[in-house]
Amino acid sequence: MDKNYTRWQSDIVQQALLSRRVIILAGARQCGKTTLAKNLNLPGAIYRTLDDVTLLESALSDPHGFVKHDNELMIIDEIQKASILLQAIKKDVDENQNLGRFLLTGSANIQSLPGVNESLAGRVRKIRLRPLAQGEIHATLPNFLQWAFEQKFPTTYNNDTKDSYITLALGGGYPEPLRIKQMREAHQWYMDYINSIIERDLKDIINIKRQDGMKELLSVLAAWSSKSMDVSAIASGLSLTRQTITTYINALESLYLIEKLPAWAKTDYDRVNKQDKIFMTDTGLMAAILNWRFEKVRLDGDQNGKLLETFVFTQLVSHIEALGFQNEKYNIYHYRDREKHEIDFIIENKDSDILGVEVKAGSSVSRDSFKHLKWFRDNIAKKKRFVGVVLYTGEQIASFGEAMWAIPMNVLWAPNIQRLVRG
């Protein structure tokens, strides 16, 4: 697969440059930030990458001279390598208040780095870029959340099988390995990527004394994806202190390799579990770290369930972030309580309507698949408008009662053609 993809965030960046002096485009290394920045229609823009040793030394030696320019847009790639530039950028944009002065890309959460005291508050907008969503790969729009809340679903979508969903999830969303035809070679790309991150990029964030310990932790976290965050359990079997593990987890989160999903806590129900869930931010990376192969994953219910739940998470958060510039605000959570009621994802829109999403690796759905969604609707959502969806690997859109739907996973990237209205 050798092509350039239209990124959902492109329009967001273009619009942000018309309203802010500084834009930070942040996301994991190799997810496509530089390509997006270069593909924007920005005539006359100055481009500088801090991966260039000479430019990096220049930035560190003379930050104010490095950022000085006329009224063109300046793009600075990998800003986390020279966070000292932030103070110089602040001075520049305070003296020249033209909009669209700087587009900064970063492979680490720059504001979380040690020694960074400059937030550029009031001057900056931060935009997250993730690995490719399936909608970007298939050149469709992020319509699923609107369809789900309105209960209007497309009549045209692919008839994918469970095997094809597993294949998509194992491939992940990083552009470069998607171009590699052999899965083993793609997995090797991911392993080389991780080694490079640990040996080089983490030095920008923390002083890692035990690279082997970090690799072991990352393997445990990959296996933990979609489970509740329990540092004590994660630490079991690792020769690292709890404090070190917490520090390392925060570093991996700063590099956008893992992500915490908060619990739904907007209730007076006293049995609710408030632990975050943890997710890998890309399923191709997750599978490579765990050395998962298609032949094994398809036969292992725990593996394919965990893989597909993480896969759906990566798609949903990509949709949510892509819709931010359309005045469509969504927040995503998970739900679990001590009575063993559990819902994979709870999504709330700006009107406080709630969408509950369960992920099933199976190709069929029964009434029992909706028991937690119906319980949440009746006991937690109460008077709020609630829609329940079970995303599964079968082929049919089917109603299971008022505002309860079984939906094939590929509707997440279906084209915007005729919509089916029921209910």
Side-chain angles (χ1 to χ4, degrees):
M1 188 178 295
D2 189 8
K3 61 179 291 187
N4 287 322
Y5 303 95
T6 299
R7 303 306 302 264
W8 288 340
Q9 306 294 52
S10 295
D11 288 343
I12 302 178
V13 175
Q14 291 273 25
Q15 292 190 17
L17 288 169
L18 299 176
S19 61
R20 298 294 182 93
R21 287 172 270 173
V22 184
I23 307 299
I24 297 178
L25 182 62
R29 209 176 244 286
Q30 296 290 319
C31 73
K33 302 183 299 298
T34 303
T35 300
L36 187 156
K38 288 183 174 180
N39 286 344
L40 294 173
N41 183 21
L42 302 171
I46 302 166
Y47 174 79
R48 294 179 177 173
T49 176
L50 298 181
D51 277 336
D52 183 295
V53 176
T54 301
L55 290 178
L56 176 59
E57 287 298 323
S58 172
L60 295 173
S61 299
D62 182 14
H64 291 282
F66 188 87
V67 304
K68 186 177 181 180
H69 64 292
D70 293 326
N71 291 321
E72 311 93 335
L73 171 70
M74 176 177 281
I75 301 171
I76 303 177
D77 227 349
E78 303 298 347
I79 186 67
Q80 77 281 351
K81 289 182 172 294
S83 56
I84 193 173
L85 289 178
L86 295 180
Q87 189 67 40
I89 289 170
K90 176 185 176 182
K91 183 175 186 296
D92 179 277
V93 299
D94 284 348
E95 293 175 353
N96 184 340
Q97 299 193 12
N98 288 338
L99 301 175
R101 289 285 291 160
F102 291 92
L103 172 57
L104 314 176
T105 80
S107 298
N109 185 349
I110 187 74
Q111 278 120 346
S112 71
L113 298 184
V116 175
N117 300 314
E118 181 51 63
S119 68
L120 295 173
R123 306 163 182 84
V124 66
R125 177 173 176 183
K126 183 178 176 181
I127 298 170
R128 172 76 179 270
L129 187 70
R130 295 176 178 272
L132 289 158
Q134 288 298 312
E136 292 173 308
I137 294 171
H138 290 83
T140 61
L141 296 175
N143 293 315
F144 174 77
L145 294 175
Q146 179 186 348
W147 294 342
F149 277 103
E150 294 179 356
Q151 300 182 71
K152 299 177 181 179
F153 299 102
T155 55
T156 301
Y157 51 91
N158 294 330
N159 292 325
D160 288 312
T161 64
K162 181 176 179 178
D163 284 357
S164 63
Y165 289 116
I166 291 172
T167 299
L168 289 176
L170 290 173
Y174 281 82
E176 188 62 29
L178 284 174
R179 296 182 170 94
I180 302 173
K181 294 182 180 179
Q182 295 296 324
M183 184 62 73
R184 287 185 181 276
E185 289 300 315
H187 276 206
Q188 185 58 53
W189 182 93
Y190 278 114
M191 296 313 298
D192 293 340
Y193 172 85
I194 284 297
N195 289 333
S196 175
I197 293 287
I198 291 175
E199 293 167 5
R200 186 179 63 177
D201 290 44
L202 276 168
K203 293 178 182 178
D204 295 328
I205 301 176
I206 57 172
N207 179 24
I208 291 191
K209 298 177 180 178
R210 291 273 313 278
Q211 289 189 6
D212 59 333
M214 175 60 89
K215 290 179 180 179
E216 289 176 6
L217 174 61
L218 190 54
S219 182
V220 171
L221 293 175
W224 211 267
S225 187
S226 80
K227 295 175 65 176
S228 291
M229 186 81 173
D230 185 338
V231 175
S232 296
I234 290 170
S236 176
L238 294 175
S239 57
L240 298 170
T241 66
R242 183 187 177 96
Q243 181 178 356
T244 298
I245 288 174
T246 300
T247 300
Y248 283 10
I249 287 174
N250 291 338
L252 293 170
E253 192 173 16
S254 292
L255 288 171
Y256 305 107
L257 299 180
I258 64 170
E259 188 163 357
K260 296 170 188 171
L261 177 66
W264 173 273
K266 299 181 180 183
T267 175
D268 55 5
Y269 186 57
D270 61 4
R271 295 180 181 272
V272 67
N273 186 322
K274 296 183 180 180
Q275 278 187 322
D276 293 342
K277 269 189 177 182
I278 192 165
F279 283 95
M280 294 294 294
T281 55
D282 182 78
T283 49
L285 182 63
M286 170 185 173
I289 291 170
L290 296 172
N291 196 29
W292 281 0
R293 297 289 186 262
F294 173 80
E295 294 78 10
K296 183 179 179 182
V297 173
R298 71 189 298 267
L299 299 174
D300 188 315
D302 180 65
Q303 288 186 8
N304 61 57
K306 188 177 299 185
L307 179 72
L308 291 176
E309 183 179 339
T310 303
F311 179 63
V312 168
F313 169 77
T314 64
Q315 306 308 304
L316 290 174
V317 290
S318 292
H319 281 237
I320 287 169
E321 290 168 358
L323 294 168
F325 78 108
Q326 296 179 355
N327 197 30
E328 295 292 341
K329 182 174 176 58
Y330 298 95
N331 293 309
I332 185 168
Y333 312 88
H334 75 94
Y335 180 85
R336 188 179 185 184
D337 62 36
R338 282 176 281 174
E339 300 298 325
K340 297 185 178 180
H341 301 113
E342 187 170 0
I343 298 175
D344 295 329
F345 306 109
I346 298 289
I347 301 171
E348 185 179 39
N349 69 11
K350 63 181 180 180
D351 298 319
S352 297
D353 301 329
I354 300 172
L355 172 67
V357 178
E358 285 275 68
V359 181
K360 299 294 182 186
S363 57
S364 62
V365 173
S366 68
R367 286 176 291 178
D368 190 60
S369 304
F370 291 84
K371 63 182 180 182
H372 294 311
L373 291 167
K374 291 180 178 179
W375 180 90
F376 189 96
R377 177 194 64 192
D378 298 338
N379 294 277
I380 304 297
K382 296 181 179 178
K383 295 182 180 180
K384 291 185 177 181
R385 184 170 175 266
F386 182 85
V387 177
V389 166
V390 174
L391 290 172
Y392 76 123
T393 60
E395 298 180 359
Q396 302 298 323
I397 294 178
S399 173
F400 277 77
E402 183 181 354
M404 294 287 159
W405 298 90
I407 305 292
M409 287 183 191
N410 59 19
V411 173
L412 284 162
W413 56 90
N416 190 14
I417 304 171
Q418 296 181 302
R419 291 192 290 166
L420 173 67
V421 185
R422 293 186 184 173

